[in-house]
Amino acid sequence: MKREEINEKYKWDLSDLYEDDAAWEKEFIQVKELAENFKGLKGTLTKSSDDLLNAIRLQEQISRMLMNVVTYSRLKLDENTKNATYQGLVARSESLMTEIGEMMSFATPEILSIEFSEMLKLLNHDELKLYEKHFENMFRAKPHILTEEVESLLAQTEEMGAAPSNTYGMLLNADMTFEDAIDSEGKAHKLTNGSYVPMLMGNDRILRKDAFNKYYKVYEAHNNTIASLMQAEVKKNIFYSKVRKHPSAREAALFENNIPVSVPDKLIQAVNDNLETFYKYMKLRKRVLGVEELHLYDIYTPIIANVDFEIEYDEAREMVTEALGVLGTEYQDVIKSAFEKSWIDVFETEGKRSGAYSWGTYDSKPYVLLNHKNNLDSMFTLAHELGHSMHSYLTRENQPYVYGNYSIFVAEVASTTNEALLNDYLLKNIKEEDKKKYILNHYLEQFRGTIFRQTMFAEFERDIHKHVETGGALTAEFMNNHYLELNKKYFGPDVVIDDAIKYEWSRIPHMYYNFYVYQYATGFSAAISLASQILSEGKPALDRYLGFLSSGSKDYPINILREAGADMETEHPVSNALKVFKTVVDELDALL
């Protein structure tokens, strides 16, 4: 379907950012001029409180405008990744980021050239007090900040460093094409990155198998190219970690948010220690599907057969809105506004970026990109992305610009809490027993996809970086074989590990997000805990949770999450989530 065929009410409205491309062009020029002005402040930043305040204000103005420029170009390109105009705007905005980063690179080394005690004296000013936490965090990083000359050089490498991810994105979204998948009646179905998983969720096993094989056939054809991009991405991460004097790429990635390495390590260990329960779920799936061999193309399809659970988008939005009423009328009213004021781009169209996300700036709506299908999974995706958007909205409503973003570590908590609350709402309100079984199965699938699957990705990501850091060569063969062995370990004895799955790592865009994936699993675990507290405790837990959503980055993420009621430095949130998984497996097993 072409974009112009979609009703306007199902498209996002980007006018919060710019009315048109001409307005974008005007600000593109302005922000560069402001950066030139900032460059002229070199050598004055710490002379007095007033000089520091003026520099901060100009820096924030540049940052806000630059993020608007970058975000608009990217959102417009994501509407149709084949659009040459917006490919050009994205390339220009990324070059501008690099150029401005270079012009402003003197600032951090100049500030860090003084002692923190001197900085505290400068901050003893009415309009500067709110920046104390910001500068405390900056000085925490002082051992990893380099000379002005080296920082300038590193700023110049940013565009080059983004090349593996950008090239992979273009290959994935614009250049890859797939053969049609054929169902059991000989009917052809258009296979795309967006339609692949919905096909695996279908009841037609012939279609599932054909989609699986034809999908990975294309990734196999591009295996060496994608392996080369992944190798470049890993080496880039290691390069930056070494230059900034971190022990490893993973520790460098975790340092920004002050996350101990023990957190992802505990996650991987806890999941590995509980794989027997996951094996039980796979055995249950094999029994209920009635197959002699359970293949990986049988993993997504619901094990509750012949349940009509088609949910059109307008129905999904009403159910999600109602389910989130437990978070209070103010929260619910903003959700309604999201639908009415065009936050959301709903349907898959030709060339549109695959997947789903929430993204915006401090000055814009927190936009949501979807590729909605009329199924339960898409309804949960809607709730998930609205969780991100509400987190962004409440943060920006309650925090100044300097703390107006939240860290990656907590990014998946709000989204997954929404999913848990939607799950609870459906189980309480749907009367048909088969649909309840279906929802229980869907809940187990959330655990499979978010805790077990993302932890497997995290283990793979950890291992390939370690392999290179210890002198290994990151070849396509190594990654394929290692990923295949991880699948065998995670899925257990009752699943046939189809050889084509060894290419699956190459279809995961998050592998280019620098140790992001483990946070889906930790975030899911925290969300299960927080949702349970909201449902059982009521207002006290809700107040803590809304406080969490409104906190932005005013404190380190571990501390913010602990105040909300989930202490991720302990094993309790992950182990408790895995206990819930075991309970749901046993419950569904008993019903079937």
Side-chain angles (χ1 to χ4, degrees):
M1 184 177 292
K2 296 186 182 297
R3 186 169 182 82
E4 55 267 25
E5 297 172 356
I6 301 293
N7 190 306
E8 291 298 316
K9 70 178 182 178
Y10 298 121
K11 300 177 187 177
W12 55 27
D13 174 13
L14 301 184
S15 61
D16 274 14
L17 284 165
Y18 301 102
E19 283 294 333
D20 52 31
D21 294 355
W24 179 90
E25 194 72 46
K26 182 178 179 181
E27 190 146 296
F28 182 95
I29 296 168
Q30 288 176 340
V31 71
K32 188 173 179 179
E33 291 172 350
L34 289 174
E36 290 283 1
N37 293 341
F38 187 86
K39 190 177 179 181
L41 300 179
K42 183 178 178 181
T44 70
L45 301 186
T46 60
K47 280 188 172 181
S48 70
S49 294
D50 287 338
D51 286 323
L52 180 61
L53 180 60
N54 289 335
I56 288 172
R57 285 174 171 169
L58 181 55
Q59 189 177 39
E60 288 188 346
Q61 184 183 6
I62 293 166
S63 176
R64 288 173 75 159
M65 292 172 67
L66 181 60
M67 292 318 300
N68 289 339
V69 165
V70 171
T71 302
Y72 176 84
S73 65
R74 175 56 66 180
L75 294 177
K76 290 298 291 184
L77 180 60
D78 285 351
E79 293 175 359
N80 181 0
T81 58
K82 299 178 182 179
N83 188 310
T85 297
Y86 295 112
Q87 288 176 8
L89 262 59
V90 167
R92 289 175 60 205
S93 66
E94 290 178 349
S95 294
L96 182 66
M97 281 187 72
T98 300
E99 187 177 358
I100 289 178
E102 182 185 351
M103 284 192 282
M104 299 176 71
S105 62
F106 72 89
T108 298
E110 184 173 320
I111 288 171
L112 293 179
S113 68
I114 66 172
E115 296 300 318
F116 188 54
S117 58
E118 294 179 61
M119 175 56 67
L120 288 176
K121 292 176 184 176
L122 291 172
L123 295 176
N124 189 24
H125 180 291
D126 288 344
E127 295 182 76
L128 285 171
K129 288 186 184 299
L130 75 91
Y131 293 96
E132 187 170 323
K133 188 68 180 180
H134 168 74
F135 284 107
E136 175 192 306
N137 196 37
M138 181 186 290
F139 275 81
R140 182 178 66 87
K142 186 172 181 176
H144 308 287
I145 303 298
L146 308 171
T147 65
E148 179 188 334
E149 183 180 9
V150 176
E151 288 292 339
S152 177
L153 280 171
L154 288 177
Q156 294 176 59
T157 69
E158 287 181 6
E159 186 176 5
M160 180 175 62
S165 176
N166 289 343
T167 304
Y168 173 79
M170 292 302 296
L171 178 65
L172 189 71
N173 293 303
D175 293 344
M176 277 190 175
T177 57
F178 305 85
E179 291 182 60
D180 288 348
I182 309 301
D183 66 18
S184 57
E185 298 178 353
K187 182 180 176 182
H189 298 259
K190 187 172 179 59
L191 181 60
T192 66
N193 281 310
S195 69
Y196 169 64
V197 171
M199 284 187 194
L200 293 193
M201 294 174 67
N203 293 323
D204 190 330
R205 197 178 192 213
I206 299 297
L207 177 62
R208 296 201 304 265
K209 181 179 180 179
D210 198 52
F212 179 90
N213 289 327
K214 286 178 176 174
Y215 188 73
Y216 285 116
K217 181 180 178 182
V218 174
Y219 282 92
E220 180 183 7
H222 294 285
N223 189 219
N224 289 316
T225 298
I226 299 176
S228 179
L229 292 172
M230 190 75 259
Q231 181 186 58
E233 179 71 13
V234 169
K235 287 187 173 181
K236 177 200 76 175
N237 295 338
I238 294 170
F239 167 76
Y240 284 127
S241 71
K242 285 182 176 179
V243 169
R244 293 205 177 277
K245 303 173 186 175
H246 290 282
S248 68
R250 186 165 66 140
E251 286 171 274
L254 297 180
F255 179 85
E256 182 180 355
N257 293 315
N258 204 22
I259 307 297
V261 175
S262 61
V263 172
D265 282 343
K266 283 180 180 178
L267 166 73
I268 292 170
Q269 188 60 53
V271 171
N272 274 265
D273 289 344
N274 285 273
L275 286 174
E276 287 296 329
T277 304
F278 189 62
Y279 299 164
K280 181 176 181 180
Y281 174 46
M282 291 299 103
K283 190 171 185 177
L284 170 64
R285 172 172 282 276
K286 180 180 179 181
R287 172 171 65 83
V288 176
L289 288 177
V291 293
E292 186 174 334
E293 292 183 338
L294 184 71
H295 286 259
L296 290 168
Y297 49 78
D298 299 318
I299 298 303
Y300 288 82
T301 186
I303 59 177
I304 311 303
N306 303 317
V307 177
D308 181 13
F309 224 133
E310 183 170 310
I311 306 167
E312 293 189 359
Y313 174 74
D314 289 330
E315 182 184 3
R317 59 179 273 185
E318 293 303 319
M319 294 178 76
V320 167
T321 303
E322 188 67 25
L324 298 179
V326 69
L327 296 177
T329 55
E330 290 184 14
Y331 186 103
Q332 196 176 40
D333 286 344
V334 180
I335 289 291
K336 292 175 182 176
S337 179
F339 294 116
E340 294 164 2
K341 297 185 177 179
S342 302
W343 293 16
I344 308 171
D345 206 80
V346 179
F347 296 112
E348 182 179 10
T349 52
E350 186 177 321
K352 185 177 176 181
R353 185 193 189 277
S354 63
Y357 62 67
S358 170
W359 193 18
T361 73
Y362 194 83
D363 301 300
S364 78
K365 301 180 179 84
Y367 294 105
V368 173
L369 180 138
L370 302 174
N371 283 276
H372 188 85
K373 308 292 181 186
N374 292 336
N375 56 36
L376 187 70
D377 193 60
S378 282
M379 181 167 70
F380 273 91
T381 297
L382 174 61
H384 180 102
E385 299 304 336
L386 284 172
H388 286 308
S389 288
M390 286 300 298
H391 196 177
S392 299
Y393 176 86
L394 289 172
T395 288
R396 292 163 190 165
E397 285 287 301
N398 291 280
Q399 296 298 327
Y401 182 74
V402 66
Y403 305 124
N405 282 307
Y406 45 85
S407 80
I408 289 174
F409 184 73
V410 299
E412 296 303 325
V413 176
S415 54
T416 313
T417 298
N418 273 13
E419 291 194 64
L421 294 174
L422 175 59
N423 188 80
D424 180 77
Y425 170 84
L426 293 173
L427 287 172
K428 287 176 178 175
N429 288 277
I430 289 178
K431 307 302 180 185
E432 300 93 327
E433 185 175 329
D434 280 351
K435 284 189 174 181
K436 286 193 174 184
K437 293 176 184 176
Y438 187 96
I439 293 166
L440 286 172
N441 177 207
H442 187 273
Y443 197 24
L444 291 176
E445 283 299 288
Q446 288 179 295
F447 277 91
R448 180 191 65 77
T450 310
I451 289 192
F452 292 98
R453 180 173 170 81
Q454 299 298 332
T455 301
M456 183 175 72
F457 291 165
E459 190 169 347
F460 176 76
E461 187 177 25
R462 179 197 67 184
D463 292 350
I464 62 175
H465 280 80
K466 186 177 180 180
H467 182 68
V468 176
E469 287 171 329
T470 55
L474 200 58
T475 63
E477 182 181 18
F478 174 82
M479 287 187 280
N480 294 342
N481 290 339
H482 189 59
Y483 192 80
L484 188 66
E485 290 306 310
L486 284 175
N487 272 268
K488 291 176 181 177
K489 178 174 75 170
Y490 272 74
F491 282 99
D494 288 290
V495 181
V496 175
I497 305 302
D498 305 274
D499 190 65
I501 202 65
K502 68 186 180 186
Y503 305 114
E504 186 185 42
W505 65 266
S506 66
R507 67 169 286 256
I508 310 301
H510 294 77
M511 292 298 177
Y512 295 83
Y513 289 12
N514 195 15
F515 293 96
Y516 185 104
V517 291
Y518 85 92
Q519 294 162 117
Y520 283 109
T522 54
F524 186 93
S525 302
I528 296 299
S529 176
L530 295 177
S532 298
Q533 291 171 46
I534 291 166
L535 292 168
S536 61
E537 295 178 29
K539 191 175 186 304
L542 177 58
D543 288 345
R544 291 196 304 271
Y545 181 66
L546 294 177
F548 159 74
L549 294 183
S550 303
S551 292
S553 57
K554 71 175 185 178
D555 198 355
Y556 297 125
I558 285 280
N559 297 338
I560 290 172
L561 205 48
R562 186 186 296 113
E563 288 179 12
D567 187 350
M568 301 310 297
E569 289 193 88
T570 71
E571 62 183 21
H572 300 304
V574 176
S575 60
N576 288 342
L578 293 171
K579 287 176 185 175
V580 171
F581 176 75
K582 183 178 187 304
T583 299
V584 178
V585 170
D586 292 340
E587 183 178 355
L588 187 59
D589 193 16
L591 289 172
L592 296 172

